[in-house]
Amino acid sequence: MSRGRLFRVTGAMAVAVAVIVLVGVGAGGSGCVFYLNPQCTDLIHNGDETDIDCGGTCGKCNVGDRCNADADCDESTCSNGRCVPLPCANGVKDGQETDIDCGGPTCHKCAGARSCAAGGDCFSGMCVAATRTCFSLPTVSFASAVSYPSGNKGYALFAGDLDGDGDLDLAAANELDSQIAVFVNNGAGVFTRLTPITTGAYPTGGAIIDMNRDGIADVVTADYHGNSVSVLLGLGGRTGMLAAKTSYATVPGAETSNLAVGDLNGDGNPDVVATNPLSSSVSEFLGHADGTLDPAIDLPVGIIGASAPYSAAIGDFDGNGTNDLAIADSQSGTIVVRLGNGDGTFQTEVPYREGGVSPYILITRDINRDGHLDLVCANRSSDDVSVLLGRGDGAFRKPIVSSTGKGTGPYSIDVADFNQDGAPDVITANYKSSTASVLLGVGDGSFEAVLDTGPTGQVSYGVATGDFNKDGKPDFATANAISNDVTVRLSTSH
């Protein structure tokens, strides 16, 4: 009889597992393996799991996995020892559904062009009488790209009303110039670049938000080589101009990549969480009413050296009125969720497998319109996007992964209703193909086949959406790293 030793399992979760091996040597040479301290992330079928790392006390199993009871299955039932789809997810038009898995009194509403009996069957609320289908624009298309010179290596892009005239403007983070370029909108989707203003070194992420609560939009950047967060307050006066930066240190050598903004301690002031890939941490900055930030609070993420938190999203995932935090870890391929306590502190992290390779830009939206926030992420190394549907209690379902097209390299992501059917769609800026991919939403976290919108600019990293020309249809823009410009594509959908 021999005894094993403590070892480290390297895999999606990179966790340590204690193993003891008891080998009984007899005529048949058979032996037994016993696992001590079974875990729900060790990639081994052990403990009370019904399949690998799921069932029992280890959360829900996917369709097709082994189960003992309905409680072992994620949005499915247990039949003959396997998780099988519920009627509204079985890929068959049955029961009182008006189309496959949608419509009727029990299933989710239907997206555009699906069969309907009444407006209540449709996300749009409109059932077209002549065709008995849910309303949507038949054609989703965009005008040719209009290019606006931005600066050296346009990386991130944000949309917001910076000059207070009611029109959506754009702000581009130019990485190699260490500057923000503001583009003010004339209301018809035509933009004029203002004189760029300096940020911290190499801005690669950020947001437009009113940091000092004066009714004027400000800009916050994550500074990759500056290892900092910079706040640039808006000057107002219908100018769109920004004041000189105030920078706040994160972690030396951390290569601060992105940030998320939201009120984390319940004082009504925006707080900032910045991601630090090289230090396996995030930096939390609590904000004040004057737009200043407290010194950073360093929060480890995952296993030090085995995680690279690249972007974050803030939202109320459990519906208790306080904001929570989600972090995309580009190294382990997980999304780490930490529920907020309402005072700027967080509960223990819970990792979710993200389903793609190299999750980069993470956002939170209600993709299936059930009133609960979901997580949506662009995965640049596997040419796809992942959706983790929120349960409303702070937990998330297994990822739904949808392709953005082979060789696209989706880096960033945004959400808009491009075909106006009421079901949210997503768009990605693709750095490999220099295109943008539109995925029309089905309404359950999945999407139609990808729509390639054609060329944007050379090496597109940032993307932003909005109705730039006030025609009621969403447009989009991209920040392009090699062509050093911002390109705007106005909707021609009809």
Side-chain angles (χ1 to χ4, degrees):
M1 186 176 294
S2 63
R3 186 177 297 271
R5 60 188 178 87
L6 184 70
F7 73 101
R8 185 173 296 275
V9 174
T10 56
M13 305 302 298
V15 294
V17 182
V19 176
I20 185 170
V21 181
L22 301 179
V23 181
V25 180
S30 62
C32 301
V33 178
F34 298 90
Y35 295 91
L36 294 183
N37 303 322
Q39 300 183 34
C40 299
T41 55
D42 55 19
L43 303 181
I44 302 170
H45 183 188
N46 52 18
D48 67 349
E49 299 167 359
T50 60
D51 211 312
I52 296 175
D53 293 343
C54 72
T57 57
C58 284
K60 306 294 186 178
C61 292
N62 288 324
V63 170
D65 289 342
R66 287 166 289 191
C67 57
N68 292 328
D70 289 350
D72 296 322
C73 300
D74 184 28
E75 299 297 319
S76 54
T77 58
C78 187
S79 177
N80 297 320
R82 295 282 177 177
C83 294
V84 298
L86 292 169
C88 292
N90 61 7
V92 177
K93 181 181 179 297
D94 51 13
Q96 299 181 66
E97 298 169 0
T98 59
D99 208 313
I100 297 173
D101 294 340
C102 72
T106 57
C107 295
H108 67 78
K109 297 183 186 298
C110 294
R114 268 64 172 186
S115 297
C116 55
D121 295 321
C122 307
F123 281 112
S124 65
M126 293 181 285
C127 182
V128 180
T131 59
R132 308 304 294 172
T133 58
C134 294
F135 172 81
S136 69
L137 296 177
T139 300
V140 175
S141 58
F142 301 90
S144 298
V146 177
S147 172
Y148 298 90
S150 177
N152 201 356
K153 195 177 181 181
Y155 209 93
L157 189 64
F158 330 114
D161 184 7
L162 287 162
D163 58 3
D165 65 354
D167 304 320
L168 281 177
D169 309 307
L170 297 170
N174 298 321
E175 183 185 8
L176 297 185
D177 284 340
S178 298
Q179 292 179 335
I180 282 286
V182 170
F183 299 82
V184 293
N185 186 354
N186 71 351
V190 178
F191 294 82
T192 300
R193 190 188 76 158
L194 305 181
T195 302
I197 188 166
T198 300
T199 64
Y202 282 43
T204 52
I208 295 176
I209 192 164
D210 184 2
M211 290 294 293
N212 57 353
R213 300 168 62 188
D214 63 353
I216 300 169
D218 312 308
V219 174
V220 190
T221 63
D223 309 321
Y224 193 75
H225 283 176
N227 302 308
S228 63
V229 163
S230 294
V231 176
L232 298 88
L233 297 178
L235 294 177
R238 296 293 177 92
T239 65
M241 296 295 294
L242 302 171
K245 68 177 174 68
T246 301
S247 294
Y248 301 85
T250 54
V251 178
E255 295 189 347
T256 303
S257 53
N258 278 280
L259 57 78
V261 182
D263 182 9
L264 296 170
N265 60 354
D267 65 355
N269 302 316
D271 308 309
V272 178
V273 173
T275 51
N276 305 313
L278 291 194
S279 69
S280 301
S281 73
V282 297
S283 295
E284 179 187 16
F285 300 88
L286 298 179
H288 299 280
D290 60 358
T292 61
L293 302 175
D294 281 343
I297 302 169
D298 191 56
L299 303 174
V301 177
I303 297 175
I304 303 301
S307 64
Y310 195 81
S311 66
I314 292 174
D316 183 5
F317 304 142
D318 55 3
N320 68 349
T322 62
N323 277 327
D324 311 304
L325 177 65
I327 305 159
D329 180 355
S330 63
Q331 184 168 339
S332 69
T334 60
I335 294 177
V336 174
V337 174
R338 298 192 68 174
L339 299 181
N341 294 318
D343 59 359
T345 64
F346 299 92
Q347 299 175 29
T348 303
E349 63 181 34
V350 178
Y352 294 86
R353 290 177 186 151
E354 188 264 347
V357 180
S358 297
Y360 274 76
I361 302 304
L362 172 71
I363 60 176
T364 181
R365 301 285 195 279
D366 183 5
I367 288 294
N368 60 348
R369 289 191 55 188
D370 64 351
H372 307 313
L373 284 176
D374 311 309
L375 298 174
V376 189
C377 194
N379 311 314
R380 75 175 195 174
S381 294
S382 52
D383 297 334
D384 49 37
V385 299
S386 296
V387 174
L388 282 70
L389 295 177
R391 297 181 180 276
D393 59 358
F396 292 86
R397 292 176 54 190
K398 310 291 188 193
I400 301 170
V401 181
S402 302
S403 173
T404 56
K406 185 177 180 179
T408 49
Y411 179 84
S412 60
I413 192 166
D414 205 353
V415 173
D417 185 5
F418 291 108
N419 61 350
Q420 299 188 320
D421 68 345
D425 312 315
V426 301
I427 184 170
T428 60
N430 304 323
Y431 85 101
K432 289 182 182 177
S433 61
S434 296
T435 62
S437 296
V438 168
L439 287 79
L440 300 179
V442 174
D444 59 359
S446 64
F447 301 93
E448 304 281 9
V450 63
L451 171 65
D452 187 342
T453 64
T456 50
Q458 295 181 46
V459 185
S460 300
Y461 276 102
V463 66
T465 64
D467 185 2
F468 300 145
N469 58 354
K470 293 186 174 180
D471 66 350
K473 295 179 290 187
D475 314 301
F476 76 91
T478 60
N480 311 303
I482 299 302
S483 50
N484 296 322
D485 60 357
V486 166
T487 52
V488 175
R489 303 283 304 276
L490 298 179
S491 175
T492 56
S493 302
H494 58 281

